[in-house]
Amino acid sequence: MGFELDRVASDLKHCGPFICSVCKALCSLDVLVTPCSHPFCKPCLEVWMSKRVAEGLNCRCPACREELEKDEAVEGETIEIDGKHIAASPLETAQPLAFTVLSNVQVKCTEHDCYWVGDYGQIKKHLVEHNLTSVRTPSATPAGATTPAQQAQYTYDDASRVGVTTRGEATGAHHGRTLALHTQQKGHVEVDHTDLQRAMERCDKLKKQA
């Protein structure tokens, strides 16, 4: 389950490519990416595929319906769900630049009385340093999760779902800042390296202005 969009400070051009099609939130940092370039929170994709396997349906991408089931497991390129080999890789290793951009998305502290704004990859560190323990995640459930047991898997607050930064110490320049939030509930755009580079440059420019 991802990070609530109402706590995202970056504009849509930066965070839009990383909105999970299942939970409609910013992908968690254990994000998986499919060969069709659609990112998903790891638990979202696992539950989605598990339900399709249980119903005897094809294991298709939740965003574009491309077939994702493979005949054999390939290390780093497939995950196993209920005996099926699903083409999906950790974004961190499959597309390191894209993962860096996701980690650089500016987010607000999940506590409303805290005005910290910083890198998404630093949110867990911030919470630990301020003796906070949870990250607010959406209570919305993915399509098809209709039973209480299925819905329960999609209602939790867990700081461990927010990964650890690869950029070193947190910067304090963004404390107290507020930026406009723009959300979307539409489909993804494919992650393009030119767009990612521009997003990184935009993020650096915002930091210099802070």
Side-chain angles (χ1 to χ4, degrees):
M1 179 56 68
F3 189 84
E4 283 192 349
L5 290 177
D6 67 357
R7 306 308 295 169
V8 175
S10 289
D11 62 32
L12 187 59
K13 290 182 179 179
H14 190 169
C15 70
F18 304 105
I19 296 176
C20 175
S21 292
V22 178
C23 67
K24 305 301 184 183
L26 184 67
C27 286
S28 54
L29 291 181
D30 56 2
V31 54
L32 296 173
V33 63
T34 61
C36 44
S37 296
H38 292 113
F40 301 95
C41 306
K42 186 173 184 287
C44 288
L45 188 61
E46 289 176 338
V47 172
W48 173 278
M49 290 298 175
S50 182
K51 184 176 186 300
R52 294 188 69 84
V53 171
E55 295 178 351
L57 300 174
N58 291 336
C59 296
R60 299 184 182 279
C61 172
C64 69
R65 300 299 187 261
E66 179 175 322
E67 178 61 56
L68 297 179
E69 184 178 351
K70 300 298 180 182
D71 294 332
E72 298 180 351
V74 179
E75 185 176 358
E77 296 181 11
T78 60
I79 58 174
E80 184 173 343
I81 299 178
D82 297 340
K84 301 289 186 179
H85 306 300
I86 307 301
S89 308
L91 184 68
E92 185 173 11
T93 55
Q95 298 183 23
L97 178 57
F99 183 78
T100 298
V101 174
L102 173 61
S103 299
N104 288 347
V105 169
Q106 297 299 287
V107 299
K108 305 172 186 178
C109 179
T110 55
E111 298 296 318
H112 286 284
D113 58 351
C114 176
Y115 296 99
W116 180 87
V117 177
D119 291 350
Y120 185 29
Q122 294 285 356
I123 186 68
K124 182 178 180 180
K125 177 181 176 67
H126 167 73
L127 294 175
V128 170
E129 289 179 344
H130 291 77
N131 296 317
L132 304 174
T133 58
S134 66
V135 172
R136 294 195 308 126
T137 56
S139 58
T141 58
T146 56
T147 68
Q150 290 171 334
Q151 293 175 353
Q153 297 182 62
Y154 278 81
T155 306
Y156 62 87
D157 291 331
D158 184 2
S160 68
R161 288 295 179 187
V162 180
V164 179
T165 183
T166 59
R167 303 184 66 226
E169 295 299 318
T171 61
H174 296 287
H175 282 258
R177 292 191 60 189
T178 55
L179 299 173
L181 170 66
H182 302 278
T183 63
Q184 75 169 15
Q185 299 298 332
K186 300 180 180 179
H188 293 286
V189 297
E190 291 192 359
V191 177
D192 179 83
H193 279 243
T194 300
D195 290 339
L196 291 175
Q197 184 62 39
R198 289 174 179 171
M200 293 176 69
E201 293 173 356
R202 187 182 304 110
C203 182
D204 289 337
K205 182 177 180 181
L206 285 173
K207 289 184 176 182
K208 291 177 181 179
Q209 294 174 349

